Amino acid sequence: MPTKILKFGGSSIANAERIISVYNIIKEKPKTYDYAIIFSALKGVTSNLKALAKKASRKKKYDSELNDLIVLHMDCVDQLSFIKNKKMEESLDRIFNDLKSKLSSIYSKNHLSSKDLDKIFSFGEILSTLIISNYFNHKGIASEQLDARDVIVTDNNFGNAFVHYQRTYAKIRRYCSGKKRLQIITGFLGATLAGETTTIGRNGSDYTATIFGAALNAKKIEIWTNIDGIKSANPNLVENSETISDITYEEAMELAHAGADVIFPPSLIPALYKNIPISIRNTFNPKNSGTKIYKEVKNKEDAIVGISSQSDISLVRLQGAGLVGVKGTIGRIFSSISKEKINIRLISMAFSEHSICFAINPKYNKKAIEALKLEFEYEIKNKLVDQILLEKNLSLVAVVGEGMRKNPGVSGRVFTTLGNLNISIIAIAQGSSERNISFIVRNKDISEALKGLHSEFFDNQDKTTDVYLVGIGNIGGELLKIIK
Ligand code: ASP
Ligand code: MG
């Protein structure tokens, strides 16, 4: 049975050339196949399938997009030079015909259910694993396609189905025992007990990888993607951000929540429970050892491992003398917000109980305010609650690290750094896990805040620079102004 799980995402298999790079990584491995591989759909395919299904359901023409999708896969097959394989050609024909008939039934229904969409989604992973398993066989790696719908059992919450772990684990173990060939597994897909196709959430292939890893008690899970690993800060905003070499599951989850989208937190759960280390590796740079995620990172002195951030969030604030000492207010606020299915990103309430604020995605601004106005209609009318305020164009920052528990003064350093940069902090939250200090600043300050914090915690260089200026003419004068 496989003792190691590898997963390659869409960007790692964008086209034939990329698939060959994956093969080059795989061919180095022993032919005993003590590992199994999960694949996503080819890059962009899942989103394109969704767009196709939507078009069909609105009775719009979709032939040209459908053709693009077919051509994308056929180009891949042609360039991987095994098109002569008759069986393969027949399989592709059958899959494309199935896809066409499914789309035309959506077209006639003039409606797209999440159940139908999951069925449409499944074509992406079915196609990618069919092509790759054939290519690998052609290159002498004895492999076979494993349709995860045969082993991953879920409920019928289409689009984001809940996995029945025990049933699934037993099925995976039974399926894999005694298999001699390399298993090429469809990511993202599952099925209900009744056999209906489900998906386990967008970007769910990572989750498929940890599910297989946990089922097989794997020693290791490798997630192959298009960057070196989890970064110490958003590289688009902080040029000298570094790849984090070691990180705990909890730290990885804390970072991922606030915008570092290398791995989706729920995907970690099966690995975390079975204590299986996960490595994030770069298909484009396989020599780099990437980021290793595991339970306990020993001998780590650093106070923080990374800073994550998310721009464009809004803050809702409810305040008023009538909130002080009144029980049940918080319950009312959050149940009215949750009824609107609005996700809350950060909460802060002062000891005075006079005000409470929470951060949300700005697309919910209107809904959130309306829900609260309705819920607190009586209190607003009677001046127990002042107006409900909304602040826009804000950014969320989270400074993360297990080390802050042992190193007092981390929050002092965070806020001193921001103070020295003259950046004002709109709201703060620190969970008692002492692993994460989160706060909100204005969008316009985010880049400077991240750079400042990154250099405070990650730069080891001497931070003092002495400048001597001899004689102040025009140029020297200008220089002084700039330095000032
Ligand atoms: N293909 C699916 C998606 O794009 C699953 C994955 O890529 O992990 O969401
Ligand atoms: Mg993907």
Side-chain angles (χ1 to χ4, degrees):
M1 281 218 266
T3 54
K4 194 165 133 190
I5 303 295
L6 278 64
K7 176 255 165 174
F8 290 88
S11 57
S12 300
I13 52 166
N15 49 40
E17 196 190 328
R18 301 299 327 148
I19 294 175
I20 294 170
S21 310
V22 171
Y23 165 72
N24 286 333
I25 293 170
I26 299 304
K27 74 170 188 221
E28 306 294 333
K29 300 193 180 297
K31 292 263 161 65
T32 44
Y33 308 128
D34 59 345
Y35 61 97
I37 317 180
I38 319 285
F39 285 97
S40 302
L42 302 194
K43 187 177 180 187
V45 166
T46 306
S47 302
N48 291 345
L49 283 165
K50 184 172 179 181
L52 268 172
K54 278 196 159 166
K55 272 203 151 178
S57 70
R58 291 183 190 135
K59 289 216 171 282
K60 290 205 183 118
K61 271 203 171 322
Y62 55 83
D63 304 355
S64 110
E65 288 90 339
L66 175 59
N67 192 51
D68 289 348
L69 193 102
I70 295 175
V71 167
L72 175 79
H73 289 93
M74 290 314 291
D75 276 355
C76 226
V77 172
D78 288 345
Q79 287 160 31
L80 294 171
S81 66
F82 53 88
I83 192 71
K84 281 141 225 126
N85 178 344
K86 191 100 194 87
K87 204 169 139 224
M88 164 84 175
E89 262 182 279
E90 281 167 10
S91 307
L92 285 169
D93 275 351
R94 186 177 31 78
I95 296 171
F96 291 134
N97 285 333
D98 280 357
L99 173 61
K100 281 177 196 160
S101 77
K102 192 73 209 163
L103 284 169
S104 69
S105 100
I106 292 170
Y107 185 92
S108 347
K109 276 196 258 180
N110 202 352
H111 172 72
L112 179 61
S113 66
S114 39
K115 178 172 164 180
D116 284 337
L117 181 59
D118 274 359
K119 183 78 197 172
I120 292 288
F121 274 151
S122 68
F123 288 95
E125 270 72 7
I126 293 293
L127 282 164
S128 67
T129 51
L130 177 76
I131 293 173
I132 291 164
S133 59
N134 270 277
Y135 175 60
F136 280 11
N137 275 318
H138 171 79
K139 297 295 275 182
I141 295 180
S143 47
E144 63 193 7
Q145 186 186 30
L146 194 175
D147 184 340
R149 291 177 295 183
D150 293 339
V151 287
I152 295 188
V153 185
T154 71
D155 68 2
N156 63 358
N157 184 18
F158 298 99
N160 205 355
F162 177 83
V163 176
H164 292 303
Y165 287 119
Q166 294 321 322
R167 274 204 182 101
T168 298
Y169 289 179
K171 276 193 148 194
I172 290 176
R173 278 196 283 267
R174 211 175 311 132
Y175 189 102
C176 291
S177 85
K179 286 273 186 304
K180 294 272 181 298
R181 302 178 83 86
L182 171 62
Q183 298 299 308
I184 303 292
I185 306 163
T186 58
F188 185 44
L189 310 181
T192 63
L193 272 178
E196 298 154 312
T197 298
T198 54
T199 58
I200 53 177
R202 284 306 301 272
N203 300 315
S205 305
D206 293 342
Y207 192 23
T208 309
T210 57
I211 291 168
F212 269 83
L216 298 168
N217 292 312
K219 292 200 200 78
K220 192 173 173 186
I221 298 166
E222 282 177 6
I223 306 282
W224 288 80
T225 176
N226 57 355
I227 52 167
D228 282 340
I230 303 179
K231 295 280 182 186
S232 56
N234 181 341
N236 298 325
L237 296 173
V238 181
E239 260 171 42
N240 58 344
S241 64
E242 320 159 357
T243 303
I244 301 171
S245 60
D246 305 86
I247 190 170
T248 66
Y249 296 115
E250 280 83 6
E251 287 171 330
M253 285 196 262
E254 300 272 8
L255 278 179
H257 260 305
D261 53 0
V262 176
I263 186 160
F264 188 53
S267 313
L268 291 171
I269 294 168
L272 184 151
Y273 277 110
K274 292 259 179 138
N275 198 4
I276 305 168
I278 300 177
S279 291
I280 311 285
R281 303 288 302 273
N282 189 353
T283 322
F284 298 78
N285 183 18
K287 290 209 172 70
N288 190 298
S289 56
T291 299
K292 204 166 170 206
I293 311 174
Y294 44 110
K295 194 168 164 201
E296 221 167 292
V297 178
K298 292 201 184 78
N299 304 325
K300 234 175 65 169
E301 293 308 318
D302 298 343
I304 76 167
V305 290
I307 308 164
S308 60
S309 56
Q310 186 167 357
S311 292
D312 289 321
I313 55 139
S314 297
L315 196 69
V316 181
R317 188 161 79 228
L318 204 79
Q319 86 186 34
L323 296 176
V324 180
V326 179
K327 293 183 192 72
T329 313
I330 296 195
R332 285 172 61 200
I333 293 174
F334 295 122
S335 67
S336 64
I337 291 299
S338 82
K339 264 187 228 137
E340 298 297 325
K341 296 198 165 34
I342 299 171
N343 186 30
I344 294 174
R345 309 298 315 265
L346 170 147
I347 303 171
S348 168
M349 183 178 96
F351 186 26
S352 70
E353 299 179 49
H354 179 251
S355 78
I356 176 160
C357 67
F358 57 90
I360 55 172
N361 183 320
K363 73 177 178 200
Y364 300 120
N365 283 353
K366 206 164 155 240
K367 262 190 173 177
I369 297 292
E370 275 166 11
L372 289 175
K373 280 192 174 155
L374 192 68
E375 177 66 37
F376 290 92
E377 205 179 354
Y378 171 84
E379 285 84 353
I380 293 170
K381 219 188 262 161
N382 293 290
K383 306 270 184 278
L384 297 166
V385 167
D386 306 341
Q387 273 312 331
I388 295 160
L389 302 167
L390 181 75
E391 263 191 274
K392 292 187 238 176
N393 305 321
L394 303 176
S395 296
L396 189 73
V397 181
V399 174
V400 172
E402 304 275 1
M404 63 176 76
R405 222 173 317 174
K406 289 182 291 197
N407 290 298
V410 174
S411 58
R413 281 169 72 190
V414 169
F415 297 119
T416 306
T417 304
L418 296 174
N420 288 342
L421 291 167
N422 233 339
I423 294 173
S424 87
I425 296 148
I426 318 274
I428 303 176
Q430 188 203 320
S432 56
S433 71
E434 282 191 82
R435 198 183 281 130
N436 180 332
I437 300 169
S438 301
F439 55 88
I440 289 177
V441 296
R442 300 210 162 77
N443 274 348
K444 70 172 179 52
D445 292 330
I446 184 69
S447 156
E448 218 184 329
L450 290 180
K451 282 187 193 126
L453 289 170
H454 198 271
S455 98
E456 170 66 23
F457 287 98
F458 293 92
D459 286 358
N460 302 316
Q461 316 99 297
D462 192 349
K463 283 188 202 102
T464 325
T465 308
D466 295 322
V467 179
Y468 297 89
L469 206 62
V470 182
I472 308 172
N474 278 343
I475 296 175
E478 281 306 309
L479 178 60
L480 271 188
K481 275 190 216 155
I482 294 170
I483 292 171
K484 208 173 164 194

